[in-house]
Amino acid sequence: MSSLVSLRDVRFSYGNRDVLHGVTLNVPRGKLVAIMGGSGCGKTTLMRLIGGQLRPRAGQLTVCGAEVPSLDREGLYDLRRRMSMLFQFGALFTDLSVFDNVAFPMREHTNMPEPIIRDLVLMKLHAVGLRGAENLLPSELSGGMARRVALARAIALDPELMMYDEPFAGLDPISLGVIGQLIRKLNDALGASSIVVTHDVQESLQIVDYVYFLSDGKVVAEGTPDEIRTSEDPWVHQFVWGEADGPVPFRYPAVPYEEALLGVQRA
Amino acid sequence: MFRLVGARTINTQWRLGVMARFFGLLLWHSGSSFRRLRLTLREIYFSGVLSLTIILISGLFVGMVLGLQGYETLQRYGSEEVLGTLVALSLVRELGPVLAGLLFASRAGSAVTAEIGLMKATEQLAAMDMMAVDPVARVVAPRFWGGVISMPILALLFSAMGVFGGYLVGVVMIGIDSGSFWSQMQASVDFRNDIVNGVIKSVVFGVAVSLVAVFEGFDTDGTAEGVSRATTRTVVTSSLAILGLDFILTSFMFRG
């Protein structure tokens, strides 16, 4: 099966700090792929690279057949019309109503007449269960609702690639389940491919087709959800079952405890 | 010490360079803000129409104070009837553009900076960019042109209110002859030299304040502290820019 997104040995650094040390991964068409890892492991950076907001230092990165780092601004904007990203907190435009937020990409990129835009917006809002909220402002929405509106806006132009940045962060269990099911359903209904960047292991394992584990800027493990659940790899085991002890240290590197408490002077 | 001064200087130069490039980008994308006039009109409403109250009230009071102070001085020389000239010239040449500019910077400039800064902090600008909509064209350019268009109109209204304030104090309150108040003013205020030059000043101030406001907003680091610093910088930088530019413009315009 052909890949919609493919990364080969991608490296990236912020100034002198290396963030990604050679990441290789594929997102096949029509599949839902999760990228998991602890905070600060480079997950979000990876997504920004795919979206062309950042450029890698080395490596190959193709999306929909286009070599992303070599695209100029126009090429990048053409590519971005075929992909969509759900930001962590929705990033709704606070001066526009729910309806206008969802209509925004349609009004910007198409010449569709207003009645058709209206029908499409209502269909998108219906898909996320918020058709009745069309006249509300983003400030009147709860966190979960805001994310569903952002999801409706993200699918406004039926993208080929959907990217979700921490879609489950800070949601109550009900909203969390709702968003998870929506991500799966929308992926299948639109015939899109999706990347979910997350650290909500149990929720993601229920909906995704394939998982990549990222640690210290490298892919340390990968597999289908079943393979991940039964993995013997100590790192994966610690992450999936949320154990405090294991290959991932709990403590930030520091001077020895006794030394810090007794105030031993260093020469 | 020297190192600090040097670092500050280089840093300031660097920011000026970045700002100039940003200005270029902004002009490049300005076409869209005129094609989609609705966006720019909305910003004229927010920056201009909503600043009307503070501009009109301040203008009235400044004119009234000018009337009082002017009368106080002029009557010593027995030339109260030129009060109209004094009030009108001070306002259209200097006080109108400068004070309206300063008020505009603190009322509308700071609001624009805070708005763009918060849009950046909440990833709205990044989201727009990911939707292949350029934030400079969609968010920045309309706000810039809204400010540039509003500023001269506000300055003219400020001056007009000020003249009315001078009239209230001079003619209605103190009792100077109304005919000589207006005729002296009409005879000595020149359209080309005084009014047009005043308008030119206010256009220049409008560009300066709006550019500083949108740049500072766009350039914040997206934290609460960053937005507050940017807002302060907008008011300080644009106020200093107005006063500095006013000196330069005045020295070219009114050389006797």
Side-chain angles (χ1 to χ4, degrees):
Chain A
M1 189 180 290
S2 65
S3 291
L4 191 70
V5 178
S6 132
L7 280 77
R8 293 271 164 281
D9 199 26
V10 168
R11 291 160 192 275
F12 179 80
S13 38
Y14 283 113
N16 292 328
R17 194 166 61 88
D18 283 344
V19 182
L20 300 178
H21 319 264
V23 171
T24 298
L25 58 83
N26 284 307
V27 180
R29 280 183 195 276
K31 296 292 178 191
L32 181 47
V33 171
I35 299 174
M36 292 192 208
S39 311
C41 70
K43 301 187 300 278
T44 302
T45 304
L46 196 63
M47 209 141 73
R48 287 177 189 259
L49 285 167
I50 297 172
Q53 289 173 296
L54 299 171
R55 277 169 202 268
R57 189 160 54 77
Q60 263 193 327
L61 201 175
T62 50
V63 177
C64 305
E67 191 58 47
V68 178
S70 62
L71 290 176
D72 60 4
R73 196 161 175 78
E74 223 149 275
L76 200 57
Y77 269 14
D78 279 343
L79 180 63
R80 282 184 189 166
R81 282 183 204 153
R82 300 163 65 188
M83 57 165 84
S84 208
M85 182 159 168
L86 183 73
F87 283 78
Q88 192 168 351
F89 296 105
L92 292 177
F93 303 130
T94 39
D95 55 339
L96 300 180
S97 69
V98 164
F99 182 93
D100 289 332
N101 260 289
V102 180
F104 183 88
M106 303 178 191
R107 287 180 179 148
E108 289 291 326
H109 292 311
T110 69
N111 290 321
M112 287 189 287
E114 203 55 27
I116 294 185
I117 290 187
R118 190 184 147 70
D119 290 351
L120 284 174
V121 170
L122 291 182
M123 282 160 69
K124 303 292 174 188
L125 281 174
H126 188 74
V128 298
L130 289 175
R131 193 161 43 81
E134 57 166 319
N135 293 321
L136 297 181
L137 280 171
S139 54
E140 298 168 303
L141 303 174
S142 71
M145 284 164 84
R147 222 163 296 179
R148 275 148 73 192
V149 173
L151 189 51
R153 183 179 70 178
I155 57 167
L157 294 177
D158 299 339
E160 288 171 52
L161 173 66
M162 280 292 308
M163 293 191 283
Y164 301 90
D165 187 4
E166 302 280 7
F168 308 118
L171 292 183
D172 63 78
I174 299 173
S175 309
L176 201 138
V178 168
I179 293 273
Q181 289 311 315
L182 269 177
I183 290 176
R184 182 73 241 184
K185 270 193 207 151
L186 289 175
N187 186 73
D188 298 345
L190 293 172
S193 316
S194 309
I195 303 174
V196 181
V197 158
T198 178
H199 47 235
D200 274 277
V201 182
Q202 300 307 336
E203 188 59 41
S204 328
L205 287 182
Q206 287 176 27
I207 58 165
V208 302
D209 299 309
Y210 204 77
V211 182
Y212 286 95
F213 275 101
L214 215 61
S215 173
D216 270 337
K218 283 195 297 270
V219 174
V220 290
E222 58 182 282
T224 61
D226 287 335
E227 287 166 3
I228 293 295
R229 281 196 198 96
T230 54
S231 171
E232 297 291 324
D233 184 295
W235 196 95
V236 173
H237 197 268
Q238 185 192 359
F239 199 86
V240 171
W241 304 108
E243 291 156 351
D245 249 348
V248 182
F250 164 64
R251 294 182 210 290
Y252 193 79
V255 293
Y257 200 26
E258 298 81 0
E259 200 178 309
L261 286 181
L262 296 173
V264 177
Q265 299 283 321
R266 267 175 291 174
Chain B
M1 172 67 194
F2 283 120
R3 187 188 287 182
L4 191 73
V5 173
R8 282 265 166 95
T9 314
I10 290 172
N11 198 10
T12 311
Q13 296 281 342
W14 179 259
R15 272 186 81 78
L16 273 176
V18 174
M19 199 188 222
R21 281 186 58 178
F22 180 77
F23 190 37
L25 195 68
L26 173 59
L27 293 180
W28 177 255
H29 286 294
S30 287
S32 66
S33 56
F34 289 106
R35 269 201 305 281
R36 289 181 298 187
L37 206 58
R38 201 177 46 84
L39 290 177
T40 310
L41 287 177
R42 187 171 167 274
E43 296 311 322
I44 293 178
Y45 173 76
F46 279 115
S47 293
V49 178
L50 295 185
S51 302
L52 271 178
T53 322
I54 186 173
I55 291 284
L56 293 182
I57 293 176
S58 311
L60 183 69
F61 276 103
V62 167
M64 282 166 34
V65 169
L66 271 179
L68 284 176
Q69 293 279 13
Y71 177 76
E72 174 70 22
T73 312
L74 290 175
Q75 65 152 356
R76 289 190 210 163
Y77 307 100
S79 43
E80 305 91 275
E81 68 278 8
V82 294
L83 183 66
T85 310
L86 175 106
V87 170
L89 281 185
S90 329
L91 280 165
V92 294
R93 281 184 170 192
E94 284 298 332
L95 295 175
V98 172
L99 289 183
L102 294 175
L103 290 171
F104 184 71
S106 36
R107 162 66 181 74
S110 58
V112 164
T113 304
E115 191 189 9
I116 298 181
L118 280 173
M119 287 180 87
K120 188 170 184 184
T122 50
E123 290 188 311
Q124 293 181 43
L125 297 183
M128 207 175 268
D129 196 35
M130 275 304 294
M131 285 182 221
V133 176
D134 196 317
V136 175
R138 181 65 170 65
V139 173
V140 174
R143 280 167 179 73
F144 173 78
W145 287 108
V148 172
I149 293 167
S150 305
M151 182 59 226
I153 302 173
L154 290 174
L156 280 176
L157 288 172
F158 184 97
S159 299
M161 266 323 258
V163 168
F164 178 64
Y167 167 82
L168 275 187
V169 168
V171 177
V172 179
M173 220 173 93
I174 299 176
I176 297 174
D177 178 51
S178 152
S180 61
F181 181 88
W182 292 116
S183 63
Q184 288 280 351
M185 188 188 298
Q186 218 172 8
S188 50
V189 177
D190 182 66
F191 180 74
R192 164 78 193 77
N193 271 334
D194 300 316
I195 296 183
V196 170
N197 277 344
V199 170
I200 292 174
K201 275 188 181 180
S202 55
V203 171
V204 173
F205 298 161
V207 171
V209 172
S210 306
L211 177 61
V212 169
V214 292
F215 175 72
E216 290 293 352
F218 203 74
D219 193 49
T220 54
D221 57 9
T223 60
E225 197 196 1
V227 174
S228 104
R229 247 185 296 138
T231 317
T232 312
R233 260 208 308 263
T234 292
V235 177
V236 173
T237 314
S238 46
S239 304
L240 291 178
I242 286 172
L243 297 172
L245 285 169
D246 183 45
F247 175 73
I248 297 172
L249 289 172
T250 307
S251 60
F252 278 106
M253 286 172 174
F254 306 105
R255 280 186 295 187

